[in-house]
Amino acid sequence: MKKVTKRFFALLATATMSIAALGACGNNAASNTTKSGTGSAVNSASGEKVSLALGIWDEKQRPMTEKLIEAYTKANPNVSVEIQLTPYKGGEYWTKLEAAATGGKAPDVFWLNVLHLDTYAEGGILADLTDAIGKSDIKASFPEALVNNYVRNGVNYAVPKDFDTNALWFNKEIFDKAKVAYPTNDMTYDDLMAMAENLKKAGLGDGVYPFACPVDFQTWYYQTVYANGGYILSEDKMSTGYDDPKTQGGIQCWIDFINKDLSPSSASLAETSADAMFEAGQLAMNFAGSYMVPEYAGNETIKDKIDCVEIPTFNGVEDNCINGLGYAVYEGSPNKEAATAFAIWLGSKEAMKIQGEAGAVISARTDAQDLFAKANSTYNLAAYTNHADKAYPLPVCKNAAELYDLESKSLNKAYSGEMSLADVCKQLKTEADALLAKNK
């Protein structure tokens, strides 16, 4: 086992506090109790019993995960797999994983998002899956960008599980009352703004807004920053692009919605999230990641009143961000060979089909991506996958958590009107570049 470095725990402490509050796949999962332990250390190749633990954080995906385990253990009767579910909310999942890794008892296989990859890879927590992936059909069956999300210095650290993109959701009842035509797949940002203005003119009632613009990088402003030709991190990840007018243009467009009273204030959205407002019928439109579909579809207040379309283009450019999860193997697992075999199978056609048909997330495997939309024909869920190949990956680096935290706190001053965006970004660049300098 690689040595778990002290720097890993220092980095992870920061990551746990900051990323827990930011967008990520399935971070709205319900809590549940967990059972610790990684099982007995025995040789799977000999036919002896092997017990594995699989760490996840989404209760809504437990039934699907149980089906995966059932299929795998039926074909591999000497293997048993226990689910260890820890909530994502508040960073609990990562906190427990840190503690488990400290004691050498982390789950044999566990969910990992791209935002934590660099920290965990540097900390020696992740097993090298390069050879195993090379011997499988994963590279030929998954989008190259998704496979490469989990590669650092030529080493594969995870098998892609799923991905999430964003869509524009709308409340048909609110549109009908306002006598405004529904959103469509071919809208532009200007169309979105005009639609919001028409909704406001129609009068939506107290506490109801046309749209919402929280300080949310993954679902809102990174999309337009990239479409506008701006950037967050330089290619060498040693400097930021906050001072670039194109970057600022991709952020200012959402502040404009707030300034025109087409969105609740940043203070209001800090108290009540955009998702919560949409689910309460207080928003006519809202952006949402694909991981929110089970939440919306299960909400009795709105589930029969809503639908979604593709994210509007910005300056004629497709603007969507893509993020996702992977299956990682714990470097310290006493059953690393069996854990690796299980992780590779989780990327198989059979496994991805089981996951896709469950409809909770978009399977990362190319031939299973369309199953997400087919699993729930009530909504236009193809909006999430129609142009996924053009989506922008999130910018990540070793201290991404600190960067996102600094970015969020700084931009709040611009969204609230406390400072101009130009002044905020000037100060933010200085502080963010100093943060990145620590990586030298």
Side-chain angles (χ1 to χ4, degrees):
M1 174 182 172
K2 296 179 182 177
K3 183 179 180 181
V4 180
T5 66
K6 291 182 179 178
R7 174 171 167 73
F8 164 71
F9 296 116
L11 288 169
L12 189 58
T14 303
T16 298
M17 291 185 289
S18 55
I19 289 187
L22 305 177
C25 289
N27 62 351
N28 292 280
S31 65
N32 205 315
T33 57
T34 63
K35 183 178 179 181
S36 63
T38 58
S40 57
V42 292
N43 186 356
S44 63
S46 68
E48 295 180 44
K49 295 293 184 179
V50 177
S51 298
L52 300 176
L54 173 61
I56 71 173
W57 65 64
D58 189 354
E59 180 62 32
K60 293 182 177 67
Q61 293 191 56
R62 181 192 285 273
M64 174 273 292
T65 305
E66 290 174 342
K67 289 182 179 180
L68 288 171
I69 292 171
E70 181 182 0
Y72 187 74
T73 54
K74 182 178 180 180
N76 299 272
N78 65 309
V79 179
S80 63
V81 183
E82 172 200 20
I83 295 174
Q84 294 185 358
L85 192 150
T86 306
Y88 188 102
K89 189 175 182 180
E92 187 176 344
Y93 177 86
W94 305 108
T95 300
K96 181 172 181 178
L97 194 57
E98 172 190 353
T102 303
K105 295 183 179 180
D108 304 278
V109 180
F110 57 91
W111 287 1
L112 177 74
N113 61 19
V114 178
L115 302 180
H116 285 82
L117 176 62
D118 291 274
T119 300
Y120 277 62
E122 182 179 293
I125 301 304
L126 309 178
D128 183 346
L129 303 181
T130 308
D131 290 343
I133 288 176
K135 294 174 182 177
S136 72
D137 69 346
I138 289 174
K139 289 186 178 180
S141 303
F142 288 72
E144 184 179 5
L146 289 181
V147 175
N148 289 340
N149 268 348
Y150 305 100
V151 176
R152 295 293 184 273
N153 299 318
V155 178
N156 291 78
Y157 286 110
V159 174
K161 174 188 178 293
D162 60 51
F163 69 85
D164 57 271
T165 53
N166 304 293
L168 171 64
W169 284 81
F170 60 97
N171 187 312
K172 291 183 283 187
E173 184 176 75
I174 294 176
F175 273 81
D176 290 343
K177 289 181 179 179
K179 297 182 180 179
V180 175
Y182 297 158
T184 60
N185 278 333
D186 58 354
M187 286 173 54
T188 66
Y189 168 85
D190 291 336
D191 293 333
L192 179 66
M193 174 72 82
M195 187 173 286
E197 290 174 333
N198 289 336
L199 287 165
K200 181 183 177 182
K201 290 176 184 177
L204 301 181
D206 292 340
V208 182
Y209 287 84
F211 192 51
C213 298
V215 184
D216 184 309
F217 66 88
Q218 181 177 333
T219 313
W220 268 266
Y221 63 85
Y222 275 7
Q223 303 187 119
T224 42
V225 164
Y226 296 140
N228 203 42
Y231 69 100
I232 301 300
L233 284 174
S234 61
E235 289 188 13
D236 63 3
K237 301 183 180 183
M238 295 309 300
S239 64
T240 59
Y242 299 117
D243 61 336
D244 189 322
K246 294 179 180 178
T247 299
Q248 294 177 26
I251 301 173
Q252 183 64 47
C253 64
W254 304 119
I255 298 175
D256 291 344
F257 269 83
I258 297 176
N259 292 341
K260 293 184 178 183
D261 200 30
L262 301 175
S263 162
S265 68
S266 59
S268 295
L269 289 169
E271 293 182 1
T272 306
S273 71
D275 288 322
M277 291 190 69
F278 186 71
E279 291 184 79
Q282 296 176 297
L283 294 178
M285 298 180 288
N286 189 44
F287 283 169
S290 48
Y291 47 81
M292 286 302 299
V293 173
E295 177 81 16
Y296 286 0
N299 186 294
E300 295 296 330
T301 301
I302 63 167
K303 69 177 186 178
D304 298 322
K305 305 174 183 178
I306 59 176
D307 204 351
C308 62
V309 296
E310 295 173 23
I311 289 286
T313 59
F314 190 73
N315 293 339
V317 179
E318 295 281 350
D319 56 332
N320 213 324
C321 274
I322 189 169
N323 190 22
L325 302 184
Y327 291 107
V329 173
Y330 176 43
E331 171 65 18
S333 168
N335 294 303
K336 189 163 65 171
E337 181 180 351
T340 299
F342 180 46
I344 295 298
W345 178 84
L346 287 167
S348 70
K349 185 173 183 177
E350 178 186 5
M352 286 284 153
K353 184 173 184 289
I354 293 171
Q355 175 179 256
E357 290 178 341
V361 292
I362 306 171
S363 287
R365 193 179 174 100
T366 304
D367 57 16
Q369 291 177 9
D370 63 335
L371 297 175
F372 177 71
K374 292 178 180 178
N376 192 335
S377 59
T378 303
Y379 310 117
N380 176 35
L381 299 184
Y384 285 106
T385 56
N386 281 346
H387 304 288
D389 59 327
K390 297 181 180 179
Y392 304 96
L394 294 179
V396 293
C397 58
K398 291 180 180 179
N399 41 12
E402 295 170 276
L403 178 65
Y404 297 150
D405 190 47
L406 175 61
E407 181 181 284
S408 177
K409 290 178 179 178
S410 298
L411 290 181
N412 261 303
K413 298 177 183 178
Y415 275 68
S416 67
E418 180 182 341
M419 293 174 62
S420 70
L421 180 62
D423 287 343
V424 166
C425 287
K426 181 179 180 180
Q427 179 178 317
L428 175 57
K429 177 174 174 58
T430 299
E431 295 177 359
D433 285 2
L435 180 65
L436 295 179
K438 296 178 181 179
N439 294 331
K440 290 182 178 179

